[in-house]
Amino acid sequence: MIIAAGLLATPLAACGGDGDSGNDAGSGSDKIVLGFSQVGAESGWRTANTKSIQDSAKEAGIELKFSDAQQKQENQIKAIRSYIQQKVDIIAFSPVVESGWDTVLKEAKDADIPVILTDRAVDSTDTSLYKTFIGSDFVEEGKKAGDWLVKEYEGKTETVNIVELQGTTGSAPANDRKKGFGDVIAADPKFKVIASQTGDFTRAKGKEVMEAFLKANPDIDVLYAHNDDMGLGAIEAIEGAGKKPGVDIKIITVDAVKDGMQALADGKINYIVECSPLLGPQLMDLVEKVHAGETVPARVVTEETTFTQEQAKAVLPTRQY
Ligand code: GYE
């Protein structure tokens, strides 16, 4: 009995000491409960994003219920329904695809549980179904990738054969990164996208699809991959085909996670458009405001940059993810 009481005392003391004076002494009952449905663990970006959310929930004293949908919409819908049943205070999620959310979002609204979109958008026309959307501007990211290419081939007239590895079919980043890039390169007919297929944001799929691209097209000049992981998989395929990534085939990716930045510094990738996964602190801030009934902006866009090979070398030692 005495031992049990001693064990119990530790978490209670920890709770009381975390600086949240608004909480009843150690009961935890005043804590905001946040249900978060994550897309999966498909990429380095996602792993860093999950860690950011878990760490910052802890720091903010928010009770986090977390579930991983393994890139399946039906799993996310199940998770959201279960959060509604559990009567969490707020639901946040990163929608794997853009369409098909209206029904479950209406269920949350009817239950008076506010929803925050994190990282990816939905295409619901009824914007009252969620309070705010925090994440990157993916069209802008695609444009930045296109801008680099236009500059890189400035003054040249020969055809530039491009292959594209798209993210998860139907996802906001895949749709928007394709669009932004396509819009920019459309201005010059020398740029030709000769193949474009999904690699599902994973290394394994990126490698597999790049192998097929290489077999079907002997003359690829540029690879545009919608994330680092697919680009890293593709690098293996390119090396396997006896070509030099970054030299024989120029590579542009999006994300700027550590492994991608390393490949950029090593000269195997030529340019990376940054997409920050560290959304946790801003998300918790929004959760607290929404819970307190404060008005929040309908859209919160994350700030990000781009990296050349030289810039990657400079920032790699201090890169967080
Ligand atoms: O770029 C990719 C991840 O939604 C921004 O999802 C995110 C994307 C990210 O799997 O690596």
PDB file of all heavy atoms in Angstrom, residues 242-257:
ATOM      1  N   GLY A 242      23.267   3.282 -63.102  1.00  0.00           N
ATOM      2  CA  GLY A 242      24.606   3.716 -63.535  1.00  0.00           C
ATOM      3  C   GLY A 242      24.701   5.198 -63.869  1.00  0.00           C
ATOM      4  O   GLY A 242      25.621   5.630 -64.556  1.00  0.00           O
ATOM      5  N   LYS A 243      23.740   5.989 -63.380  1.00  0.00           N
ATOM      6  CA  LYS A 243      23.789   7.438 -63.629  1.00  0.00           C
ATOM      7  C   LYS A 243      24.086   8.188 -62.334  1.00  0.00           C
ATOM      8  O   LYS A 243      23.894   7.662 -61.243  1.00  0.00           O
ATOM      9  CB  LYS A 243      22.456   7.916 -64.205  1.00  0.00           C
ATOM     10  CG  LYS A 243      22.195   7.304 -65.573  1.00  0.00           C
ATOM     11  CD  LYS A 243      21.054   7.988 -66.286  1.00  0.00           C
ATOM     12  CE  LYS A 243      20.945   7.376 -67.683  1.00  0.00           C
ATOM     13  NZ  LYS A 243      20.013   8.023 -68.541  1.00  0.00           N
ATOM     14  N   LYS A 244      24.531   9.441 -62.507  1.00  0.00           N
ATOM     15  CA  LYS A 244      24.901  10.260 -61.346  1.00  0.00           C
ATOM     16  C   LYS A 244      23.779  11.226 -60.978  1.00  0.00           C
ATOM     17  O   LYS A 244      23.511  12.183 -61.716  1.00  0.00           O
ATOM     18  CB  LYS A 244      26.152  11.086 -61.684  1.00  0.00           C
ATOM     19  CG  LYS A 244      27.415  10.476 -61.128  1.00  0.00           C
ATOM     20  CD  LYS A 244      28.591  11.431 -61.251  1.00  0.00           C
ATOM     21  CE  LYS A 244      29.221  11.601 -59.897  1.00  0.00           C
ATOM     22  NZ  LYS A 244      30.312  12.522 -59.815  1.00  0.00           N
ATOM     23  N   PRO A 245      23.138  10.988 -59.811  1.00  0.00           N
ATOM     24  CA  PRO A 245      22.084  11.929 -59.398  1.00  0.00           C
ATOM     25  C   PRO A 245      22.689  13.299 -59.103  1.00  0.00           C
ATOM     26  O   PRO A 245      23.773  13.396 -58.535  1.00  0.00           O
ATOM     27  CB  PRO A 245      21.535  11.304 -58.107  1.00  0.00           C
ATOM     28  CG  PRO A 245      22.582  10.346 -57.631  1.00  0.00           C
ATOM     29  CD  PRO A 245      23.354   9.899 -58.847  1.00  0.00           C
ATOM     30  N   GLY A 246      21.994  14.332 -59.511  1.00  0.00           N
ATOM     31  CA  GLY A 246      22.502  15.692 -59.279  1.00  0.00           C
ATOM     32  C   GLY A 246      23.355  16.192 -60.426  1.00  0.00           C
ATOM     33  O   GLY A 246      23.567  17.398 -60.554  1.00  0.00           O
ATOM     34  N   VAL A 247      23.829  15.260 -61.255  1.00  0.00           N
ATOM     35  CA  VAL A 247      24.685  15.648 -62.383  1.00  0.00           C
ATOM     36  C   VAL A 247      24.032  15.208 -63.705  1.00  0.00           C
ATOM     37  O   VAL A 247      23.632  16.039 -64.513  1.00  0.00           O
ATOM     38  CB  VAL A 247      26.101  15.028 -62.238  1.00  0.00           C
ATOM     39  CG1 VAL A 247      26.983  15.411 -63.435  1.00  0.00           C
ATOM     40  CG2 VAL A 247      26.734  15.467 -60.922  1.00  0.00           C
ATOM     41  N   ASP A 248      23.901  13.878 -63.891  1.00  0.00           N
ATOM     42  CA  ASP A 248      23.236  13.386 -65.115  1.00  0.00           C
ATOM     43  C   ASP A 248      21.745  13.734 -65.084  1.00  0.00           C
ATOM     44  O   ASP A 248      21.144  14.032 -66.117  1.00  0.00           O
ATOM     45  CB  ASP A 248      23.392  11.867 -65.228  1.00  0.00           C
ATOM     46  CG  ASP A 248      24.846  11.443 -65.343  1.00  0.00           C
ATOM     47  OD1 ASP A 248      25.645  12.226 -65.910  1.00  0.00           O
ATOM     48  OD2 ASP A 248      25.193  10.349 -64.868  1.00  0.00           O
ATOM     49  N   ILE A 249      21.190  13.629 -63.921  1.00  0.00           N
ATOM     50  CA  ILE A 249      19.781  14.011 -63.740  1.00  0.00           C
ATOM     51  C   ILE A 249      19.721  15.007 -62.584  1.00  0.00           C
ATOM     52  O   ILE A 249      20.154  14.708 -61.465  1.00  0.00           O
ATOM     53  CB  ILE A 249      18.894  12.774 -63.430  1.00  0.00           C
ATOM     54  CG1 ILE A 249      18.931  11.796 -64.615  1.00  0.00           C
ATOM     55  CG2 ILE A 249      17.461  13.202 -63.097  1.00  0.00           C
ATOM     56  CD1 ILE A 249      18.147  10.511 -64.401  1.00  0.00           C
ATOM     57  N   LYS A 250      19.233  16.194 -62.874  1.00  0.00           N
ATOM     58  CA  LYS A 250      19.106  17.199 -61.808  1.00  0.00           C
ATOM     59  C   LYS A 250      17.855  16.903 -60.989  1.00  0.00           C
ATOM     60  O   LYS A 250      16.840  16.471 -61.534  1.00  0.00           O
ATOM     61  CB  LYS A 250      19.016  18.595 -62.428  1.00  0.00           C
ATOM     62  CG  LYS A 250      20.336  18.933 -63.100  1.00  0.00           C
ATOM     63  CD  LYS A 250      20.488  20.403 -63.351  1.00  0.00           C
ATOM     64  CE  LYS A 250      21.916  20.627 -63.837  1.00  0.00           C
ATOM     65  NZ  LYS A 250      21.997  21.455 -65.008  1.00  0.00           N
ATOM     66  N   ILE A 251      17.965  17.135 -59.688  1.00  0.00           N
ATOM     67  CA  ILE A 251      16.857  16.754 -58.807  1.00  0.00           C
ATOM     68  C   ILE A 251      16.408  17.931 -57.932  1.00  0.00           C
ATOM     69  O   ILE A 251      17.221  18.587 -57.284  1.00  0.00           O
ATOM     70  CB  ILE A 251      17.268  15.565 -57.900  1.00  0.00           C
ATOM     71  CG1 ILE A 251      17.704  14.374 -58.773  1.00  0.00           C
ATOM     72  CG2 ILE A 251      16.122  15.172 -56.974  1.00  0.00           C
ATOM     73  CD1 ILE A 251      18.197  13.164 -57.980  1.00  0.00           C
ATOM     74  N   ILE A 252      15.094  18.149 -57.950  1.00  0.00           N
ATOM     75  CA  ILE A 252      14.478  19.157 -57.078  1.00  0.00           C
ATOM     76  C   ILE A 252      13.486  18.424 -56.178  1.00  0.00           C
ATOM     77  O   ILE A 252      12.700  17.605 -56.677  1.00  0.00           O
ATOM     78  CB  ILE A 252      13.663  20.199 -57.870  1.00  0.00           C
ATOM     79  CG1 ILE A 252      14.410  20.664 -59.114  1.00  0.00           C
ATOM     80  CG2 ILE A 252      13.258  21.368 -56.992  1.00  0.00           C
ATOM     81  CD1 ILE A 252      13.504  21.384 -60.099  1.00  0.00           C
ATOM     82  N   THR A 253      13.525  18.703 -54.879  1.00  0.00           N
ATOM     83  CA  THR A 253      12.552  18.088 -53.976  1.00  0.00           C
ATOM     84  C   THR A 253      11.936  19.150 -53.061  1.00  0.00           C
ATOM     85  O   THR A 253      12.328  20.314 -53.093  1.00  0.00           O
ATOM     86  CB  THR A 253      13.210  16.982 -53.101  1.00  0.00           C
ATOM     87  OG1 THR A 253      14.201  17.590 -52.269  1.00  0.00           O
ATOM     88  CG2 THR A 253      13.862  15.895 -53.938  1.00  0.00           C
ATOM     89  N   VAL A 254      10.999  18.705 -52.236  1.00  0.00           N
ATOM     90  CA  VAL A 254      10.349  19.599 -51.271  1.00  0.00           C
ATOM     91  C   VAL A 254      10.454  18.955 -49.880  1.00  0.00           C
ATOM     92  O   VAL A 254      10.358  17.728 -49.783  1.00  0.00           O
ATOM     93  CB  VAL A 254       8.849  19.795 -51.607  1.00  0.00           C
ATOM     94  CG1 VAL A 254       8.203  20.821 -50.669  1.00  0.00           C
ATOM     95  CG2 VAL A 254       8.656  20.212 -53.057  1.00  0.00           C
ATOM     96  N   ASP A 255      10.606  19.740 -48.842  1.00  0.00           N
ATOM     97  CA  ASP A 255      10.605  19.371 -47.412  1.00  0.00           C
ATOM     98  C   ASP A 255      11.832  19.938 -46.693  1.00  0.00           C
ATOM     99  O   ASP A 255      11.692  20.682 -45.757  1.00  0.00           O
ATOM    100  CB  ASP A 255      10.552  17.861 -47.122  1.00  0.00           C
ATOM    101  CG  ASP A 255       9.118  17.311 -47.114  1.00  0.00           C
ATOM    102  OD1 ASP A 255       8.164  18.116 -47.261  1.00  0.00           O
ATOM    103  OD2 ASP A 255       8.963  16.087 -46.982  1.00  0.00           O
ATOM    104  N   ALA A 256      13.033  19.478 -47.112  1.00  0.00           N
ATOM    105  CA  ALA A 256      14.270  19.871 -46.410  1.00  0.00           C
ATOM    106  C   ALA A 256      14.398  19.198 -45.044  1.00  0.00           C
ATOM    107  O   ALA A 256      14.765  19.839 -44.064  1.00  0.00           O
ATOM    108  CB  ALA A 256      14.406  21.389 -46.299  1.00  0.00           C
ATOM    109  N   VAL A 257      14.084  17.895 -44.985  1.00  0.00           N
ATOM    110  CA  VAL A 257      14.401  17.119 -43.774  1.00  0.00           C
ATOM    111  C   VAL A 257      15.887  16.771 -43.830  1.00  0.00           C
ATOM    112  O   VAL A 257      16.527  16.900 -44.873  1.00  0.00           O
ATOM    113  CB  VAL A 257      13.539  15.829 -43.647  1.00  0.00           C
ATOM    114  CG1 VAL A 257      12.082  16.185 -43.448  1.00  0.00           C
ATOM    115  CG2 VAL A 257      13.703  14.916 -44.847  1.00  0.00           C
TER     116      VAL A 257
END
